[in-house]
């Protein structure tokens, strides 16, 4: 028995001494292989008496089990060690700068999206999202647009047939604005509400300033005692922060939107010349967004009592904001996937917009 214990210590020490999987496999073969130490001892049992064979066989089987356990434990440890060494060798430092000729660029739309979220986020707005495919209730009816409203005409809207109904009123639409997100928010959240709804929208139009798919951001604030003054102050702070100006002339012109009453369009001061558009200076005006107080019918459609709550809403095109801020002349180029265009107008991948670090402090690739 003493010889068995000494042999066990010897074999386990040999296993523990293996520093890699190859050495461990060599040790396994030397111990339990066809010509291994334990195998040879098992073969020698035939020369012993019955009583000796019984006792020695039991001890050798126990020893073999201990050795195999030690081999499995050492193998698992060495496999983990080998994997960690491989991962360490293959590590890529993502903080290192890449070569300029292969550096990717952030699309201006993505950059403006980040800037808008950063500005309104500091004002306490949260981001709300909704489906691109909408039913007519959320896209039109709940927004105070009756069946005969011009905005619902076929030439303006992409309709999708409802496979479960032949009634045109049951057909779906590819959302024409992100206003349905406002309705869905009101249905699922009690005031106070303060959200922006950025996302893709779709209309049947295509020219230098319109595309069938474009990006829009809308805002909604609902609470008790909300007034037009709150709306004007919110939007004034936004345009100052967005265009990174200390002061900027603004004006509001009466307008009409079915989902707000009163409604207005907001203009910002600018200087227009043949070759330049300068925001914040000059005697010219540029329309930038539409806004107004939420219509009582819209509040009711969202399940909110207009006798208790009121609010304001606004909407603007993210693509148009990009064109104005970064001097991009044609909206259609946003969607042409031209690498040369993106290299010129795109932004550094690590140029993250923030109110503390700056919205566009690094500028585009060639600015």
């Amino acid at each position: 028995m003493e010889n068995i214990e000494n042999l066990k210590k010897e074999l386990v020490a040999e296993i523990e001494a293996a520093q890699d999987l190859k050495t461990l496999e060599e040790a396994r073969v030397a111990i339990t292989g066809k010509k291994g130490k334990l195998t040879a001892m098992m073969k020698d049992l035939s020369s012993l008496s019955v009583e000796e064979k019984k006792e020695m066989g039991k001890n050798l089987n126990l020893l073999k089990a201990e050795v195999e356990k030690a081999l499995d434990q050492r193998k698992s440890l060495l496999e983990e060690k080998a994997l960690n060494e491989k991962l360490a060798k293959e590590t890529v430092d993502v903080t290192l700068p890449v070569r300029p000729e292969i550096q990717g660029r952030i699309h201006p739309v993505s950059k403006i999206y980040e800037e808008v979220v950063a500005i309104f986020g500091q004002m306490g707005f949260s981001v709300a999202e909704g489906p691109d495919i909408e039913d007519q209730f959320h896209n039109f009816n709940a927004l105070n647009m009756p069946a005969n409203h011009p905005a619902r005409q076929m030439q303006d809207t992409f309709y999708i047939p409802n496979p479960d109904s032949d009634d045109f009123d049951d057909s779906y639409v590819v959302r024409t604005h992100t206003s349905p997100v406002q309705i869905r928010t009101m249905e699922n959240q009690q005031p106070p509400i303060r959200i922006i709804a950025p996302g893709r929208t779709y209309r049947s139009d295509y020219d230098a300033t319109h595309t069938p798919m474009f990006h829009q951001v809308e805002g909604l604030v609902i609470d008790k005692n909300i007034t037009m003054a709150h709306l004007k102050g919110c939007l004034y702070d936004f345009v100052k922060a967005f265009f990174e100006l200390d002061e900027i002339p603004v004006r509001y012109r009466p307008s009409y939107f079915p989902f707000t009453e009163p409604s207005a369009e907001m203009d910002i001061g600018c200087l227009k010349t043949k070759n330049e558009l300068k925001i914040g200076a000059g005697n010219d005006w540029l329309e930038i967004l539409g806004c107004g107080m939420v219509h009582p019918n819209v509040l009711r459609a969202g399940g909110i009592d207009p006798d208790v709550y009121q609010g304001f809403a606004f909407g603007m095109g993210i693509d148009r904001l990009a064109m104005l801020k970064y001097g991009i002349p044609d909206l259609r180029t946003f969607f042409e996937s031209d690498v040369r265009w993106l290299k010129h107008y795109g932004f550094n991948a690590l140029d993250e917009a923030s109110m503390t670090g700056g919205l566009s402090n690094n500028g585009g690739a060639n600015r």
Side-chain angles (χ1 to χ4, degrees), residues 1 27-28 44 47 61 111 129 150 158 167 300 307 345 363:
M1 187 65 184
R28 185 194 68 79
D44 291 341
S47 62
N61 282 330
K111 185 67 168 62
E129 297 180 334
F158 295 107
D167 190 345
R300 291 191 190 95
D307 296 327
Y345 287 110

Side-chain angles (χ1 to χ4, degrees), residues 74-142:
R74 189 62 180 172
K75 182 179 180 183
S76 297
L77 185 65
L78 292 176
E79 285 178 341
E80 183 178 355
K81 178 184 176 183
L83 178 60
N84 290 334
E85 290 176 350
K86 182 180 180 182
L87 292 175
K89 291 179 181 179
E90 295 177 354
T91 298
V92 176
D93 188 351
V94 295
T95 65
L96 291 175
V98 298
R99 296 194 300 274
E101 64 270 18
I102 62 171
Q103 184 177 11
R105 295 287 173 179
I106 300 297
H107 197 284
V109 169
S110 299
K111 185 67 168 62
I112 295 297
Y113 183 105
E114 292 176 355
E115 293 181 16
V116 170
V117 170
I119 295 170
F120 283 113
Q122 191 180 58
M123 295 183 189
F125 286 76
S126 59
V127 176
E129 297 180 334
D132 286 17
I133 307 298
E134 274 290 2
D135 56 61
Q136 294 194 47
F137 172 79
H138 288 93
N139 197 81
F140 294 127
N141 299 37

Side-chain angles (χ1 to χ4, degrees), residues 4 7 36-45 56 60 63:
I4 294 293
L7 180 59
K37 296 177 183 178
L38 275 180
T39 306
M41 294 179 71
M42 289 289 189
K43 291 179 179 179
D44 291 341
L45 290 175
M56 182 61 71
L60 288 178
L63 175 60

Side-chain angles (χ1 to χ4, degrees), residues 129-131 134-135 137-140 142-143 173 175-187 197 201 216 218:
E129 297 180 334
E134 274 290 2
D135 56 61
F137 172 79
H138 288 93
N139 197 81
F140 294 127
L143 293 163
V173 299
R175 67 181 182 186
T176 58
H177 42 198
T178 56
S179 300
V181 179
Q182 299 184 27
I183 300 298
R184 292 183 179 275
T185 300
M186 287 188 280
E187 288 176 335
T201 52
Q216 191 179 63
E218 297 190 14

